[in-house]
Amino acid sequence: MSVTTVQTTCPYCGVGCGVNLSCSSNATNSTITPVTGDQQHPANFGRLCVKGSSLAQTITSDDRLIVPSVYGEASTWDNATDIISQKIQEVTTKYGPDAFAFYLSGQILTEDYYVANKLAKGYIGTANVDTNSRLCMASAVVGYKRAFGSDTVPCNYEDLECCDLLIMVGSNAAWTHPVLYQRIVAAKAQRPHMKVVVIDPRRTATCDIADLHLAITPGSDAAIFSYLLQATGKKGFLDQDFIASHTDGFDSALAQAKASTPDLSSAAKFCGVTEDDLALLCDWWCDTDKSVTFYSQGVNQSSSGVDKCNAIINCHLATGRLGKPGTGPFSITGQPNAMGGREVGGLANQLAAHMDFATLGAQDLVQRFWQAPNMATENGLKAVDMFQAMEEGKIKVIWIMSTNPMVSLPNTSQVKRALEKCELVIVSDIKAHTDTTKYADILLPATGWSEKDGTVTNSERRISRQRGLLSPLGEAKHDWQAICEVAKKLGHHDAFDYSGPHQIFAEHAALSAFENNGQRDFNIGAFQDITKTEYDALLPIQWPVTQSSPEGTARMFVDKHFFTPNGRAKFIPIEPKLPVANTTDQYPFTLNTGRVRDQWHTMTRTGDAASLSQHIAQPYVEIHPDDAKKHDICDKTLVKVYSAKGQTLLKAKVTEATAPGSLFVPIHWTQQFANASIVSALIPPVVDALSGQPESKHARAALEPIKNATYGSLISDTQLQLDDCLYWCKVTSDYGHRYEVAWPETVSIESLKQTFGARSSAPLQWLEYTNPFNSQIRLAGIHDNQLKIVIYLSEAPDVSTTDWLVSKLSPTQSLSDSERMALLVGQPVDVEDKGEIVCSCYQVGTKQISQAIKEGAKTAEALGAKLKCGTNCGSCLPELKAIVSSNLEEAKS
Ligand SMILES: Nc1nc2c(c(=O)[nH]1)N[C@H]1C(S)=C(S)[C@@H](COP(=O)(O)OP(=O)(O)OC[C@H]3O[C@@H](n4cnc5c(=O)[nH]c(N)nc54)[C@H](O)[C@@H]3O)O[C@H]1N2
Ligand SMILES: Nc1nc2c(c(=O)[nH]1)N[C@H]1C(S)=C(S)[C@@H](COP(=O)(O)OP(=O)(O)OC[C@H]3O[C@@H](n4cnc5c(=O)[nH]c(N)nc54)[C@H](O)[C@@H]3O)O[C@H]1N2
Ligand code: SF4
Ligand SMILES: [Mo]
């Protein structure tokens, strides 16, 4: 048995944790061992969250795309790239270069991104290169550029640990950047005077460490910071020297702040918070020099997202709080390589290497560097406009790489129309079946994490290697290879003839330094001659990395020099605006959307791990109890949530965490996992005028309870066809197939036996039980003493099969007599019913936790000591604390 290990980087969130990936092999087979955190990696020092530590479970060949396919038929790379290059040639000759577009992703590697950008902007001659980062980071980018003249994240992770005031705006980091959040939790425990403020219309798991939670009116953030700016001035806490020596535009920004938020009471009213709370934030802000504002999608995904970013940055400029330890406006990135994409210029309104089309001399510089025959000369189309132009027939060929726009772009019915209209849709993915691959004419199999090899940049500008351990599955190729093959067939052989990712990285580094002379922030010139051996040994490092800073750069703007023409940072006058979509009688709710702890985006990878679906198994909508009552909706029942753009079916989660008048729906469940739960179908294509980023956090919506449904929970040894269900959701399980369903009305035992008997692979013997008191029905179908199917039905919405039943689906097991008896109960008496899993790492559930609390474990720590829950990644600690307090409250009352 030999063991091979590589140090690589987690492919999920922008924290960019280092992981050790190992494979043990003997003569006949090789097995991936569970990944561990890399102790040396400066992002995580060995910690991992549950998504990271479950990575090995998601390296599977299930549904992997392993050969190219052309119009639904398996094909060869040669044939597929022939068709692609011919079609690109044809449409660009006939209609011009803008008839082609790339739609990329913050999840491809920097090297993939670099060659795509070079091919489109330098060789095909179009800037139609946009990415899902448009839906994610675009507003943050424009905010930084307006203020600093460059897209520069000034801070690093240590700043979050050594600040005295951390303001988290529109971020649920406890679930979305868990390792970083745990670093903050640890820092706060060590330095209890450190204050944390959370600004989020919802009460989230992140509020667990908040000294103050401002549950603002959705979209009102800019007014908070506008008020902070003017109050800081009034109270005399401005850094006058910094303002005078290093900035422009303060007076007009202050005048606008005074006009927009003249006093505490008007600002508090606009934001829907109490005057006391806003005054407290203001006092803390004024008193605390070491302040970091940490912001994410609650800020960016807004029709005024850029202004919100600048409202935040204004406050930091006014107090000189950046470029020093424990200070700065910190936009946290979501995807593992959102930053790398920005660095190569992989957005339609960027050129390359942090240069824009409008930057003086940039087009000429890049043209000379690339020796480009056909340079694009102006900005291309941003994501939403790109799909609009496609529907209008202007884009004839689209190459979608590593993103699932049928789920993630707003107004998905329009996206569908655009893809149907487009003459050639090319999709590069690791999976054969996604909501987007359905619309592909050509599918290209991509190598996935564990096979890919290259670099990514995390939220603190740290470049790390993703290293491949496994050989590409089937005929999968690296994304950069696919692009280079097409480029060569388009006649650009020499410019795209790379022997490996190290050569692409070296070229990217050389471009960043080319005629730079300190004018551009992004400079990794120290790597322009990097060899393969050096690249393979590359340790995580923060850019800029130049001859004068070969160790990298921990913090930016230490010298108070900015990348504007005169070197001074800019204040931007901000007028706070509310979301475009006001609620109406017809659509009385504000619809908020976001993430859950254990799933990643459209679930194409996390959806493969059964343990990750245990935390939250079904798509849901958070509704305030008052609204639920008004609409006659009970917890866990099925609800229709709809807007002018579309509709969804979701399980109600009645909770005070969401304010009256607001709803929250997670983004993860696609048509591969549920029949009608894509929340982007409800979001109108409203964008920020400056950044083009959609307002995915604020749509108008309405609710309708689904009455008289019969709820069901099914497990089966074969995949089930559930078209006759009103609602179905597939829940990943270790064996067989598990579904939660609802039928529109009462269903009879006989009809179920008939339907599922007919769909079964073998004739079934049925065991059945009906409870006349609560109309529960339980059916188990057996063939040859092996369990084939279990159906539990109820008028109540919390019907549920069990993990034990799932474990009995294994085809090698014969049921014992006692096991047969237990099928209709759910599990034998000696098997513990854990309840819903809260701690995914140690598989600890609600029932175990409640029992332990009864037995005296009255804190999260005590629960950890008893059950181990919360003691690994810590992501469930906020929930453990909530369970403790609700159990104790219940016990009191
Ligand atoms: N588990 C998990 N982690 C992830 C991801 C994932 O899919 N799953 N995706 C990654 C990616 S790509 C990204 S971009 C990040 C996103 O990370 P986050 O931005 O932290 O995640 P979201 O849940 O999208 O939204 C954050 C919060 O914004 C709040 N919000 C809504 N409207 C407003 C508002 O008007 N003002 C304020 N202040 N807040 C508001 C929402 O209530 C929500 O709690 O997560 C990354 N990490
Ligand atoms: N309503 C609403 N919409 C949103 C958001 C929201 O908060 N609310 N958030 C937005 C944000 S911030 C983001 S980042 C997006 C994310 O949305 P998407 O980018 O659409 O979601 P993913 O599931 O990450 O899609 C990645 C795809 O790439 C495939 N893949 C994985 N690895 C590779 C690889 O190495 N190569 C290739 N070629 N393919 C690969 C996966 O199988 C998957 O199909 O959603 C956005 N949409
Ligand atoms: S916090 Fe979790 S998802 Fe994010 S990089 Fe680290 S291990 Fe991966
Ligand atoms: Mo994102």
Side-chain angles (χ1 to χ4, degrees):
M1 179 77 72
S2 69
V3 178
T4 325
T5 301
V6 291
Q7 266 80 45
T8 181
T9 311
C10 174
Y12 297 125
C13 85
V15 177
C17 296
V19 306
N20 304 307
L21 172 66
S22 301
C23 174
S24 47
S25 329
N26 58 23
T28 47
N29 60 25
S30 45
T31 341
I32 297 289
T33 45
V35 305
T36 56
D38 177 355
Q39 303 282 345
Q40 311 304 323
H41 198 290
N44 57 317
F45 300 105
R47 288 171 195 262
L48 289 180
C49 77
V50 59
K51 290 186 297 305
S53 48
S54 308
L55 271 165
Q57 296 170 47
T58 62
I59 302 177
T60 131
S61 53
D62 289 355
D63 200 37
R64 272 291 295 270
L65 186 59
I66 46 173
V67 289
S69 97
V70 174
Y71 300 114
E73 300 284 327
S75 182
T76 60
W77 274 96
D78 196 37
N79 184 42
T81 49
D82 267 350
I83 298 174
I84 295 170
S85 54
Q86 280 161 16
K87 186 73 182 177
I88 294 177
Q89 197 76 270
E90 178 200 313
V91 302
T92 53
T93 309
K94 206 159 158 193
Y95 306 100
D98 290 339
F100 172 78
F102 268 121
Y103 186 55
L104 307 174
S105 160
Q107 294 169 72
I108 56 175
L109 305 178
T110 301
E111 293 76 5
D112 304 325
Y113 244 126
Y114 178 84
V115 291
N117 199 51
K118 178 178 172 182
L119 174 61
K121 290 181 187 157
Y123 288 75
I124 295 177
T126 178
N128 285 342
V129 181
D130 218 45
T131 134
N132 63 2
S133 287
R134 182 70 57 199
L135 320 177
C136 179
M137 304 313 312
S139 292
V141 172
V142 181
Y144 278 144
K145 280 164 81 166
R146 286 207 296 184
F148 305 148
S150 60
D151 175 19
T152 318
V153 179
C155 320
N156 62 36
Y157 296 163
E158 280 172 16
D159 292 327
L160 299 167
E161 293 169 323
C162 71
C163 64
D164 296 323
L165 173 64
L166 175 61
I167 308 179
M168 304 179 81
V169 198
S171 153
N172 184 14
W175 282 12
T176 55
H177 297 94
V179 165
L180 202 49
Y181 181 78
Q182 289 306 323
R183 283 180 64 167
I184 297 166
V185 170
K188 193 172 184 325
Q190 272 196 345
R191 304 167 58 248
H193 70 274
M194 170 180 168
K195 293 203 168 60
V196 176
V197 179
V198 173
I199 303 181
D200 192 313
R202 268 192 326 146
R203 192 180 68 228
T204 63
T206 303
C207 297
D208 189 41
I209 53 162
D211 299 282
L212 175 65
H213 170 210
L214 294 181
I216 57 169
T217 298
S220 65
D221 307 70
I224 299 268
F225 292 91
S226 168
Y227 177 72
L228 275 195
L229 181 66
Q230 76 102 336
T232 309
K234 211 186 266 170
K235 291 171 178 242
F237 285 90
L238 297 170
D239 185 339
Q240 300 286 6
D241 285 349
F242 183 87
I243 294 172
S245 314
H246 306 291
T247 68
D248 283 330
F250 176 70
D251 291 343
S252 51
L254 182 65
Q256 179 66 59
K258 284 179 177 165
S260 303
T261 44
D263 51 43
L264 178 65
S265 109
S266 65
K269 194 162 169 226
F270 185 88
C271 300
V273 297
T274 66
E275 290 181 27
D276 285 352
D277 281 352
L278 185 54
L280 185 62
L281 170 64
C282 194
D283 288 344
W284 287 352
W285 171 260
C286 287
D287 287 344
T288 320
D289 217 24
K290 289 174 91 172
S291 305
V292 173
T293 311
F294 177 93
Y295 52 102
S296 190
Q297 299 314 331
V299 170
N300 296 343
Q301 289 173 343
S302 148
S303 53
S304 59
V306 179
D307 279 354
K308 290 180 180 178
C309 294
N310 285 106
I312 291 170
I313 298 170
N314 281 348
C315 290
H316 283 268
L317 291 173
T319 48
R321 290 180 191 157
L322 73 173
K324 296 183 286 194
T327 68
F330 195 164
S331 149
I332 180 85
T333 52
Q335 300 181 87
N337 201 29
M339 291 286 269
R342 285 149 72 167
E343 288 148 22
V344 304
L347 285 154
N349 53 334
Q350 300 173 337
L351 175 55
H354 278 204
M355 284 172 275
D356 288 338
F357 285 96
T359 314
L360 197 66
Q363 284 181 45
D364 173 59
L365 183 157
V366 177
Q367 191 279 326
R368 282 183 290 115
F369 181 85
W370 279 342
Q371 302 278 300
N374 196 12
M375 279 299 291
T377 53
E378 54 186 43
N379 289 340
L381 294 168
K382 301 183 182 114
V384 169
D385 299 335
M386 188 182 268
F387 282 79
Q388 202 66 53
M390 209 180 300
E391 190 183 358
E392 288 162 14
K394 291 180 189 148
I395 289 176
K396 313 265 180 200
V397 178
I398 177 118
W399 190 342
I400 298 168
M401 183 173 279
S402 200
T403 177
N404 199 352
M406 277 300 297
V407 186
S408 51
L409 272 173
N411 196 10
T412 48
S413 58
Q414 190 277 331
V415 177
K416 175 172 178 279
R417 291 197 302 273
L419 292 173
E420 282 170 346
K421 172 89 187 217
C422 191
E423 290 178 16
L424 189 73
V425 176
I426 307 149
V427 175
S428 293
D429 208 290
I430 55 170
K431 291 286 183 177
H433 296 93
T434 74
D435 290 14
T436 302
T437 58
K438 252 192 272 183
Y439 297 91
D441 299 302
I442 298 190
L443 278 173
L444 298 176
T447 50
W449 185 80
S450 76
E451 300 158 1
K452 287 180 80 109
D453 201 36
T455 55
V456 291
T457 309
N458 75 1
S459 290
E460 55 167 359
R461 285 175 287 103
R462 194 180 296 280
I463 298 171
S464 296
R465 287 280 275 108
Q466 256 194 30
R467 294 186 173 89
L469 175 70
L470 307 178
S471 318
L473 196 69
E475 288 175 34
K477 284 190 194 239
H478 304 310
D479 288 315
W480 67 265
Q481 287 175 322
I483 296 163
C484 290
E485 282 193 18
V486 169
K488 286 178 189 169
K489 287 195 173 167
L490 285 168
H492 312 304
H493 189 276
D494 293 350
F496 291 89
D497 192 24
Y498 301 101
S499 67
H502 66 284
Q503 282 191 346
I504 305 174
F505 184 73
E507 184 180 310
H508 165 55
L511 173 57
S512 75
F514 188 59
E515 297 174 12
N516 185 322
N517 306 321
Q519 285 161 11
R520 308 194 300 266
D521 65 332
F522 180 68
N523 188 344
I524 52 168
F527 297 127
Q528 58 189 322
D529 298 316
I530 197 166
T531 62
K532 181 170 186 316
T533 313
E534 288 164 344
Y535 181 75
D536 284 342
L538 188 70
L539 293 174
I541 188 164
Q542 285 172 290
W543 63 259
V545 194
T546 61
Q547 306 304 348
S548 57
S549 60
E551 306 297 316
T553 310
R555 205 167 276 111
M556 297 295 280
F557 309 130
V558 173
D559 60 359
K560 304 182 174 69
H561 175 86
F562 297 89
F563 293 90
T564 49
N566 67 1
R568 296 160 76 92
K570 267 212 182 92
F571 282 93
I572 308 290
I574 300 300
E575 194 189 336
K577 293 188 194 79
L578 287 174
V580 166
N582 291 315
T583 54
T584 59
D585 288 348
Q586 200 185 355
Y587 298 108
F589 289 95
T590 300
L591 173 65
N592 178 3
T593 64
R595 287 149 175 83
V596 306
R597 197 188 74 191
D598 293 358
Q599 293 298 349
W600 178 260
H601 295 167
T602 70
M603 292 169 61
T604 63
R605 288 170 287 166
T606 45
D608 283 337
S611 59
L612 294 180
S613 69
Q614 288 173 327
H615 178 231
I616 296 174
Q618 299 187 65
Y620 65 90
V621 51
E622 282 184 8
I623 310 171
H624 188 273
D626 295 349
D627 291 324
K629 201 165 160 200
K630 209 175 342 170
H631 289 82
D632 200 14
I633 289 167
C634 299
D635 199 41
K636 297 194 172 139
T637 55
L638 198 58
V639 184
K640 180 165 114 182
V641 179
Y642 61 101
S643 78
K645 292 290 172 196
Q647 69 172 58
T648 51
L649 286 171
L650 305 157
K651 300 281 275 186
K653 181 172 176 185
V654 178
T655 166
E656 283 176 354
T658 284
S662 285
L663 306 174
F664 175 83
V665 177
I667 60 173
H668 307 287
W669 282 266
T670 67
Q671 288 191 344
Q672 313 302 313
F673 287 91
N675 61 334
S677 59
I678 300 177
V679 72
S680 296
L682 313 191
I683 312 283
V686 172
V687 300
D688 181 297
L690 299 168
S691 69
Q693 176 155 0
E695 186 152 68
S696 311
K697 291 275 181 271
H698 316 289
R700 289 185 309 215
L703 279 183
E704 200 182 293
I706 303 291
K707 295 284 179 195
N708 307 321
T710 301
Y711 293 90
S713 186
L714 279 72
I715 61 165
S716 161
D717 68 333
T718 53
Q719 211 157 335
L720 292 178
Q721 206 251 65
L722 295 165
D723 286 352
D724 41 358
C725 291
L726 174 66
Y727 160 85
W728 61 259
C729 165
K730 194 164 104 185
V731 184
T732 309
S733 55
D734 283 325
Y735 305 99
H737 303 268
R738 186 171 188 163
Y739 305 89
E740 306 298 333
V741 303
W743 278 277
E745 60 228 346
T746 315
V747 273
S748 73
I749 287 202
E750 286 318 310
S751 72
L752 285 172
K753 288 202 294 202
Q754 207 170 15
T755 311
F756 289 102
R759 287 175 196 171
S760 171
S761 52
L764 298 179
Q765 176 203 349
W766 290 102
L767 309 180
E768 62 183 70
Y769 161 80
T770 308
N771 182 334
F773 301 107
N774 60 10
S775 352
Q776 275 197 8
I777 295 174
R778 295 183 166 193
L779 281 172
I782 295 170
H783 174 79
D784 207 9
N785 216 21
Q786 284 187 348
L787 183 60
K788 293 283 177 190
I789 187 166
V790 175
I791 306 171
Y792 284 6
L793 284 192
S794 169
E795 280 166 14
D798 52 358
V799 54
S800 177
T801 46
T802 62
D803 288 343
W804 179 82
L805 284 170
V806 170
S807 73
K808 295 295 129 195
L809 280 174
S810 165
T812 52
Q813 293 191 52
S814 250
L815 296 165
S816 68
D817 285 349
S818 62
E819 284 172 341
R820 280 173 78 109
M821 309 254 292
L823 293 176
L824 299 180
V825 183
Q827 56 208 353
V829 274
D830 56 347
V831 171
E832 187 183 15
D833 177 8
K834 294 178 171 184
E836 273 172 56
I837 298 294
V838 175
C839 171
S840 305
C841 297
Y842 290 116
Q843 295 287 301
V844 184
T846 44
K847 291 195 178 158
Q848 293 168 293
I849 295 166
S850 296
Q851 185 57 32
I853 296 171
K854 266 193 213 133
E855 288 165 13
K858 295 199 172 9
T859 61
E861 291 72 28
L863 285 170
K866 201 171 164 92
L867 302 170
K868 289 180 90 172
C869 49
T871 57
N872 182 38
C873 77
S875 319
C876 63
L877 283 170
E879 282 151 277
L880 291 178
K881 288 186 193 172
I883 297 174
V884 168
S885 63
S886 80
N887 270 261
L888 294 182
E889 248 162 54
E890 250 173 49
K892 254 190 245 158
S893 60

